């Protein structure tokens, strides 16, 4: 993924990234400027969300963890309680956005081409195709990737990381930047635990706590409708908190990880979309 998206400044060639070019610029300096521009756009997005009292949630995970299925189950259960909107991020296709629209919910697809994460500029472009005045909860389904998405502020208020039982229970230990960034961890596809007996939910949560992250870790199955009540209650609480914050003129920034930002500036997470304009296809 890193070779195609442009995350290609590595420990092996990082010394070259610090070497000034003919104009005196280094790759690291350019990357820092890009991250700074992203943060400014993210603050702009968050101001829009707060103005309309929208709770914006960033869903992150590896591919195939069940993000879209969870959204479908959530829409089915809460569509009469909250007005929901979705931004979908994938390298190609509108498959996920079409699934969400079939539920009667507005969804905008961002196709990133080769970029392995969304950024604030992409999300801002998608917002031009949404009516925030008609939304209570905006879900941003990030590109399936357990690395880069954790380091980019999109303007969201909370980060939600999914970990399916079809993955290793040591994922929080192996991908600490992602799991440190989580305000909520969802262990998904728990209906498969009887056959995935090498996945220990307690061990997964222990790895999370070893990162000094006190975020709730909820176990659920969107397919079998198991454990969803706690997830819905978390959403209700967060919506109420967002409304209270905005009534006081306050906002909430997510747990963007300094480690991730450092990796992106010193070892690199640059992709052409952040410089030359992202490949955005409106719904």
């Amino acid at each position: 993924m890193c070779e195609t998206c442009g995350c290609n400044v590595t420990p092996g060639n990082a010394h070259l990234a610090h070497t000034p070019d003919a104009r005196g610029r280094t790759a690291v300096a350019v990357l820092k400027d890009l991250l700074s521009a992203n943060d400014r756009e993210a603050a702009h997005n968050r101001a829009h969300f707060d103005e309309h009292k929208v709770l914006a949630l960033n869903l992150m995970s590896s591919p195939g963890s069940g993000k879209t299925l969870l959204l479908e189950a959530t829409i089915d259960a809460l569509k009469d309680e909250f007005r929901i909107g979705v931004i979908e991020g994938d390298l190609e296709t509108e498959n996920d956005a079409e699934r969400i629209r079939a539920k009667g919910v507005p969804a905008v697809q961002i196709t990133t081409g080769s970029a392995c994460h969304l950024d604030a500029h992409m999300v801002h472009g998608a917002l031009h195709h949404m009516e925030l005045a008609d939304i209570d909860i905006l879900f941003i389904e990030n590109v399936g990737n357990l690395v880069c998405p954790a380091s980019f502020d999109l303007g969201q208020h909370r980060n939600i990381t999914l970990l399916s039982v079809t993955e290793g229970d040591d994922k929080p230990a192996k991908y600490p930047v992602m799991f440190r960034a989580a305000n909520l961890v969802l262990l998904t596809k728990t209906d498969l635990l009887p056959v995935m007996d090498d996945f220990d939910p307690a061990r997964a949560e222990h790895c999370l706590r070893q990162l000094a992250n006190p975020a709730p870790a909820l176990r659920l199955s969107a397919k079998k409708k198991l454990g969803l009540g706690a997830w819905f209650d978390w959403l209700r609480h967060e919506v109420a908190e967002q409304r209270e914050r905005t009534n006081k003129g306050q906002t909430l920034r997510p747990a963007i990880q300094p480690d991730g930002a450092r990796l992106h500036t010193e070892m690199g997470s640059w992709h052409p979309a952040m410089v030359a304009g992202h490949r955005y296809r409106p719904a």
Side-chain angles (χ1 to χ4, degrees), residues 13-247:
N13 63 15
H15 65 288
L16 299 175
H18 292 271
T19 302
D21 63 13
R23 293 179 292 177
R25 295 280 284 165
T26 66
V28 170
V30 172
L31 290 166
K32 288 181 177 178
D33 288 349
L34 290 170
L35 283 169
S36 178
N38 181 84
D39 288 348
R40 289 194 296 271
E41 191 76 349
H44 181 67
N45 293 344
R46 194 154 34 246
H48 279 307
F49 297 144
D50 292 341
E51 177 184 357
H52 295 285
K53 302 185 184 300
V54 174
L55 173 67
L57 303 173
N58 181 24
L59 271 63
M60 302 180 291
S61 76
S62 58
S65 66
K67 295 188 296 295
T68 309
L69 185 61
L70 176 66
L71 289 179
E72 290 175 317
T74 302
I75 291 166
D76 287 341
L78 300 182
K79 62 184 176 183
D80 295 329
E81 187 173 346
F82 299 114
R83 300 168 299 171
I84 296 173
V86 178
I87 293 175
E88 291 284 352
D90 283 298
L91 272 66
E92 293 293 347
T93 83
E94 289 218 0
N95 293 352
D96 289 350
E98 289 172 357
R99 287 171 59 180
I100 297 301
R101 293 183 201 122
K103 295 289 184 180
V105 166
V108 177
Q109 181 75 52
I110 298 174
T111 51
T112 66
S114 59
C116 61
H117 57 85
L118 296 179
D119 64 29
H121 302 280
M122 297 178 185
V123 170
H124 180 76
L127 293 180
H128 286 294
H129 300 270
M130 307 196 83
E131 292 292 337
L132 290 181
D134 298 329
I135 295 173
D136 298 312
I137 306 174
L138 177 67
F139 291 102
I140 304 171
E141 183 178 338
N142 220 311
V143 178
N145 178 0
L146 280 179
V147 183
C148 303
S151 301
F152 285 82
D153 189 356
L154 308 178
Q156 77 274 24
H157 301 102
R158 293 291 193 187
N159 288 326
I160 302 167
T161 301
L162 281 65
L163 172 62
S164 77
V165 304
T166 57
E167 305 173 66
D169 53 20
D170 61 347
K171 279 292 189 292
K174 296 171 74 172
Y175 295 88
V177 173
M178 172 61 70
F179 285 90
R180 283 197 197 104
N183 301 112
L184 175 69
V185 174
L186 299 178
L187 299 181
T188 62
K189 305 185 181 182
T190 56
D191 57 300
L192 298 177
L193 280 172
V195 293
M196 303 297 299
D197 57 3
D198 57 345
F199 186 100
D200 183 355
R203 182 172 183 237
E205 184 168 349
H206 174 74
C207 291
L208 178 67
R209 303 304 170 220
Q210 289 294 103
L211 302 175
N213 188 343
L218 307 180
R219 306 177 189 184
L220 56 82
S221 167
K223 183 176 182 178
K224 298 296 184 180
K225 307 296 190 292
L226 302 174
L228 291 175
W231 158 240
F232 297 154
D233 287 343
W234 185 89
L235 287 173
R236 293 183 181 105
H237 172 78
E238 290 297 325
V239 169
E241 288 285 305
Q242 171 66 355
R243 289 171 178 170
E244 183 176 347
R245 277 192 300 271
T246 54
N247 286 337

